[in-house]
Amino acid sequence: MMEAPELTNGTALCLGRALHEGTTSAVGICEALFTRIDVVGDTIDAYLHLDRERILAEAEASDRRRQEGKALSPLDGVPVAIKDNIASKGEPLTCASRSLASFVSPYDATVTERLRKAGCIPFGRLNLDEFAMGSSTENSSRPPTRNPWDPSRAPGGSSGGSAAAVAARLCPWALGSDTGGSIRQPAAFCGVIGLKPTYGRVSRYGLVAFASSLDQIGPVGRSVSDVATLLDLIDGHDPLDSTSWPEELRSVSAALREPAGKGTLGIPAEYYGEGIDPEVREKVSSVAEAYRKMGYRIREISLPRTHLAVPTYYIVATAEASSNLARFDGVRYGHRAEAAGNAVELYFRSRGEGFGPEVKRRVILGSYVLSSGYYDAYYKRAQQVRTLIRDDFLKAFEEVDAILTPTTPTPAFALGEKTGDPLSMYLADIFTIAVNLAGLPALSMPCGLTKEGLPVGFQLIGRPFAEDRLLRNAAAYEKCHPFPDQPDLPVTA
Ligand code: GLN
């Protein structure tokens, strides 16, 4: 039988194999994770909610299916932790907002339903910045998640709970969402792998909308094969999402079994300039060198509109957010203020009490850029610049197969360091948000630790729907550069 450390350290695919061989059970895996959460979980605060009774009941049902030879898939019984903005029927769906503090989802998101069909067990609700707006989880209405490599630092955001839980071995893998970097930036800060799929590849049905033209759900894991497997489980056409890609997609885990195909990696000068931490630059440059040694060609390229990505994103994303969040008015959804004298007062007070400061800032900014008189100057213009940003990438892809950049300009910053300065927080996403504006797939891979022991991540950006190629490139790196295993966490219980 597998022992507890093997169960919590094991990748999802290892756990699936162990279940198949009968060296562990779904109940055994869940109990080992609960114990680990009891022992080190308080240091990290990754989970907002963990219904142990329901999880154990589902694990028992999975073990019974397997005993009867009726396992739903090779992964039947493997737990998956889920960011608390993705619906799971009968569980809280709070988006870490006071406005949804008591909301329970009446249905499953398409991704959750697909995981259940494979027998995977939804395992707890993970912390995030309120409505996925932020880069540190400090905008959560609950205590922030902490970085497992240094609990005084931020795990990144908004999927900070997902990345920290995977890094700290509080779950084998997890789902996050990425609107401007929310999977990749926390993955880089926590030393795990995170993938943002091509826009349209994964259904958004049941993902609480932040900015609908940018949002994508994606996997976070500790091995490239796990990330590929989780993507295969959740992707594919969904008639419930009108922006879902209608064509058949190739299995990315099958693609991993093929040779990497090498090819040319582009290095955009704009991502290596001012403001980047010297250790991050050095680590990511050695990744380029490693690829060169593996037989890839490296070519310098230019993405000249890179400097326009942050302002464009904060117009498009806030405009869409102001419209998406209109439904949390205390009538249709969300916290309802007591004793309001009339309807307008009810809206004002419900939203005023329910939303935190960053969400309010974005709703105000978004309403402003959409308002008559400013629409053409801001929103329409931003949409035009968005097309130019996408054109830069498509032009680059005429010469290169993928683009290699740092995921973030610095390693994890301290909790509290940027909370007083929203602009400096926005700049933490400078390398990730252009990808969302262009709708491209991109992943973050760990590439070592700084002298202070903090993880650094590199980003690979691909052509639309080239996740198979991106993951093969990532696997080639992983094979030669296994990442230093795991953070040393203080025991709290
Ligand atoms: N940090 C970015 C923001 O605050 C991106 C968030 C996200 O990808 N959900 O909007």
Side-chain angles (χ1 to χ4, degrees):
M1 288 310 262
M2 279 173 93
E3 299 295 326
E6 288 174 274
L7 291 175
T8 49
N9 282 336
T11 61
L13 283 173
C14 286
L15 296 177
R17 266 193 302 276
L19 287 166
H20 175 73
E21 288 160 4
T23 52
T24 188
S25 62
V27 169
I29 296 170
C30 293
E31 280 177 343
L33 289 169
F34 291 156
T35 307
R36 173 123 183 116
I37 291 167
D38 288 337
V39 173
V40 298
D42 280 355
T43 317
I44 303 304
D45 259 337
Y47 286 97
L48 293 176
H49 179 81
L50 188 69
D51 182 348
R52 298 183 189 215
E53 226 169 278
R54 181 197 54 77
I55 291 169
L56 283 180
E58 289 188 27
E60 276 163 19
S62 163
D63 287 336
R64 268 197 305 277
R65 282 196 295 273
R66 226 173 244 283
Q67 273 155 17
E68 291 164 7
K70 291 183 186 150
L72 298 172
S73 82
L75 293 156
D76 196 331
V78 176
V80 189
I82 300 182
K83 183 176 180 180
D84 197 16
N85 61 348
I86 301 171
S88 175
K89 188 175 176 180
E91 292 209 87
L93 177 59
T94 72
C95 300
S97 178
R98 270 195 306 278
S99 115
L100 289 173
S102 55
F103 187 76
V104 173
S105 177
Y107 67 91
D108 270 337
T110 297
V111 292
T112 313
E113 186 185 271
R114 289 184 180 174
L115 289 172
R116 282 192 208 277
K117 278 209 177 109
C120 292
I121 303 170
F123 187 89
R125 314 288 303 156
L126 294 164
N127 201 6
L128 66 156
D129 288 292
E130 184 176 10
F131 287 107
M133 296 176 191
S135 311
S136 66
T137 78
E138 289 162 296
N139 296 335
S140 172
S141 64
R142 305 268 297 275
T145 298
R146 272 156 289 158
N147 192 313
W149 296 86
D150 174 353
S152 72
R153 293 182 188 255
S158 64
S159 312
S162 310
V166 173
R169 275 61 179 169
L170 309 178
C171 63
W173 56 6
L175 288 183
S177 68
D178 191 314
T179 304
S182 275
I183 290 177
R184 291 159 286 153
Q185 185 254 18
F189 278 13
C190 293
V192 294
I193 308 169
L195 171 82
K196 183 210 92 80
T198 308
Y199 185 80
R201 182 171 191 125
V202 176
S203 168
R204 292 180 296 109
Y205 181 73
L207 166 68
V208 178
F210 159 13
S212 310
S213 77
L214 302 161
D215 299 337
Q216 270 291 288
I217 296 172
V220 178
R222 294 192 295 261
S223 77
V224 173
S225 337
D226 269 13
V227 166
T229 305
L230 190 47
L231 179 63
D232 277 340
L233 284 169
I234 59 172
D235 72 0
H237 182 62
D238 177 15
L240 298 174
D241 171 1
S242 62
T243 59
S244 158
W245 183 247
E247 284 169 34
E248 189 80 28
L249 295 166
R250 216 172 146 229
S251 151
V252 286
S253 6
L256 274 189
R257 292 191 280 275
E258 295 162 16
K262 311 277 193 279
T264 307
L265 298 182
I267 309 281
E270 293 81 359
Y271 283 67
Y272 293 81
E274 216 184 308
I276 173 170
D277 179 279
E279 279 193 274
V280 172
R281 180 186 293 133
E282 181 208 305
K283 287 264 176 312
V284 180
S285 302
S286 50
V287 172
E289 200 37 49
Y291 273 113
R292 198 196 306 272
K293 287 203 185 115
M294 285 187 266
Y296 286 75
R297 280 180 303 276
I298 306 292
R299 176 179 295 191
E300 294 219 353
I301 56 164
S302 174
L303 296 167
R305 275 79 162 228
T306 298
H307 64 290
L308 299 175
V310 171
T312 305
Y313 171 85
Y314 278 94
I315 293 174
V316 174
T318 57
E320 294 184 18
S322 71
S323 150
N324 277 325
L325 267 56
R327 70 191 63 152
F328 302 102
D329 55 11
V331 177
R332 287 170 293 174
Y333 288 98
H335 165 77
R336 186 185 178 93
E338 275 170 29
N342 58 47
V344 172
E345 197 189 330
L346 175 71
Y347 293 150
F348 270 106
R349 294 224 341 241
S350 300
R351 291 166 69 77
E353 292 164 17
F355 292 157
E358 181 62 23
V359 172
K360 286 180 189 158
R361 187 175 298 123
R362 303 223 183 176
V363 169
I364 293 169
L365 203 57
S367 310
Y368 176 79
V369 299
L370 287 176
S371 57
S372 74
Y374 294 103
Y375 181 93
D376 284 353
Y378 294 111
Y379 183 70
K380 189 166 161 219
R381 191 101 196 251
Q383 291 291 20
Q384 289 162 338
V385 176
R386 180 176 185 175
T387 305
L388 297 177
I389 290 172
R390 183 175 165 89
D391 288 349
D392 274 1
F393 280 108
L394 297 183
K395 189 152 167 277
F397 285 128
E398 289 171 9
E399 290 180 49
V400 300
D401 301 296
I403 296 171
L404 170 66
T405 77
T407 309
T408 57
T410 64
F413 46 82
L415 286 165
E417 188 180 320
K418 294 185 192 288
T419 39
D421 181 1
L423 270 186
S424 82
M425 188 72 93
Y426 296 171
L427 288 171
D429 303 310
I430 193 155
F431 297 154
T432 48
I433 60 189
V435 162
N436 300 70
L437 289 167
L440 302 171
L443 60 80
S444 180
M445 272 296 281
C447 58
L449 300 175
T450 62
K451 290 191 200 81
E452 279 190 280
L454 298 172
V456 174
F458 70 87
Q459 175 175 236
L460 283 176
I461 307 169
R463 297 189 180 104
F465 298 103
E467 281 85 349
D468 51 348
R469 201 179 247 267
L470 279 188
L471 286 160
R472 276 207 304 265
N473 293 337
Y477 182 83
E478 182 186 48
K479 205 163 142 207
C480 310
H481 301 83
F483 187 64
D485 41 17
Q486 61 168 307
D488 221 355
L489 281 168
V491 169
T492 54

